[in-house]
Amino acid sequence: METLDALILGIVQGLAEYLPISSSGHLEIFREILGLDLGGAKSLQFDVMLHVATVLSTIVILWREFWPLCRSFFTFRRDAEFWYVCKILVSCIPIGIVGVCFKETIETFFGQELTLVGYCLCVTAALLTFSYYFRTRPQQEGIVAPGRAPRDITFVDAFVIGCAQAVAVLPGLSRSGTTIATGILIGDKREKVAQFSFLMVIIPILGEAILDIKDILGIEAVDTAAGAATPEIGIGALVAGFMASFIVGCLACKWMLSIVKKGKLVWFAVYCLVVGLICILKGYNVF
């Protein structure tokens, strides 16, 4: 992998991780565009680096919220911050089950043709549109949406949003878009859902990174024993991808928080629909 390729993928990851357009789907799209066919431990190592970079960008941007949560939870203060972390842990249950029990099945959906990515992007577009017209727009017009006024996230809400995150492991189905839209639909405050969505992904990504590091060591051992040659990813490419993902992630995180507060997610629905249709047509060799 060239440094320029790594830089491009890092920018894509940093931007798409927070915007509701699916980072995994866009990484698949850009690998196709760049003609990259990486395998073995090197490709896995690069993906881990990109995801860890976006986790760090989340911590940096939300440090004022993140540090009190850690302090309260690890000192067992039993205050609002402590229970907030408990809600985050509850939201991680569904993705934990999926990661442990269905990891190999999920991996089969990656590295294939773009047809699946296209369909999932269309689903993301539909979900964002639905959440906008049935929950966000009535609130903007000063009308209370059906049921009740927006509220803070409860434990039940956290679990439901966690289920949405577990479903969003498919490439093209936006994690942030799915979780934020789900929170809005069940009646939670937009700004609270956006912050919760970005914080709740820290634990799953770090957990996945630890598991992937173990897999990397195992793959390298097998490749070395078999004498297999895997595509090299130089240190320069790793650093370029990591820094690009981190810097762009910081900017995208702040931008997304502002966008959610203004209720402008519907424009991303249009983008996802257009790109999704292009991927579907490309998958069927229309062009």
Side-chain angles (χ1 to χ4, degrees), residues 247-260:
I247 294 172
V248 175
C250 288
L251 299 174
C253 184
K254 294 186 67 174
W255 185 29
M256 186 60 184
L257 288 171
S258 174
I259 290 173
V260 173

Side-chain angles (χ1 to χ4, degrees), residues 1-12 46 237 240-241 243-245:
M1 177 188 291
E2 300 293 334
T3 301
L4 180 60
D5 295 332
L7 187 65
I8 293 173
L9 292 179
I11 293 174
V12 171
F46 185 71
M243 293 305 299
S245 183

Side-chain angles (χ1 to χ4, degrees), residues 28-276:
E28 292 291 317
I29 292 172
F30 274 84
R31 283 193 177 103
E32 180 78 14
I33 293 174
L34 297 173
L36 298 177
D37 185 18
L38 301 174
K42 301 301 180 181
S43 177
L44 187 57
Q45 186 181 37
F46 185 71
D47 289 344
V48 171
M49 292 284 286
L50 294 185
H51 282 87
V52 171
T54 51
V55 165
L56 292 178
S57 64
T58 301
I59 295 174
V60 169
I61 296 301
L62 297 177
W63 178 253
R64 291 184 179 180
E65 293 80 10
F66 180 77
W67 171 243
L69 294 176
C70 292
R71 182 178 57 196
S72 295
F73 183 75
F74 289 108
T75 56
F76 301 98
R77 294 191 177 186
R78 304 297 177 89
D79 54 10
E81 286 78 12
F82 175 86
W83 296 115
Y84 191 88
V85 176
C86 291
K87 293 174 185 177
I88 291 177
L89 293 175
V90 168
S91 73
C92 294
I93 294 175
I95 191 67
I97 294 174
V98 170
V100 172
C101 300
F102 304 102
K103 187 174 187 294
E104 293 183 359
T105 302
I106 293 171
E107 288 176 348
T108 61
F109 293 111
F110 291 83
Q112 299 182 6
E113 295 182 353
L114 296 180
T115 307
L116 176 62
V117 174
Y119 282 122
C120 287
L121 282 172
C122 290
V123 172
T124 297
L127 184 58
L128 292 174
T129 303
F130 186 79
S131 67
Y132 176 77
Y133 281 103
F134 285 84
R135 178 62 66 172
T136 305
R137 189 162 186 173
Q139 293 174 11
Q140 290 178 331
E141 296 172 351
I143 303 173
V144 177
R148 46 179 160 64
R151 65 182 180 192
D152 290 332
I153 297 171
T154 66
F155 277 96
V156 174
D157 295 342
F159 184 78
V160 173
I161 296 173
C163 290
Q165 177 174 246
V167 174
V169 297
L170 295 175
L173 196 56
S174 169
R175 190 206 64 82
S176 62
T178 302
T179 53
I180 292 173
T182 299
I184 293 174
L185 286 171
I186 61 179
D188 295 324
K189 296 178 181 178
R190 291 193 300 268
E191 60 273 16
K192 297 290 185 180
V193 172
Q195 179 178 304
F196 188 81
S197 174
F198 295 155
L199 290 173
M200 69 186 284
V201 76
I202 293 176
I203 295 176
I205 287 183
L206 290 181
E208 182 183 3
I210 294 173
L211 293 176
D212 285 345
I213 289 173
K214 176 179 66 68
D215 292 340
I216 287 170
L217 297 176
I219 293 173
E220 286 181 339
V222 172
D223 289 344
T224 301
T230 57
E232 287 293 331
I233 303 177
I235 298 298
L238 287 175
V239 173
F242 182 90
M243 293 305 299
S245 183
F246 173 76
I247 294 172
V248 175
C250 288
L251 299 174
C253 184
K254 294 186 67 174
W255 185 29
M256 186 60 184
L257 288 171
S258 174
I259 290 173
V260 173
K261 290 179 182 179
K262 296 176 181 178
K264 302 297 184 180
L265 294 181
V266 68
W267 298 111
F268 292 102
V270 175
Y271 171 82
C272 288
L273 179 61
V274 172
V275 176

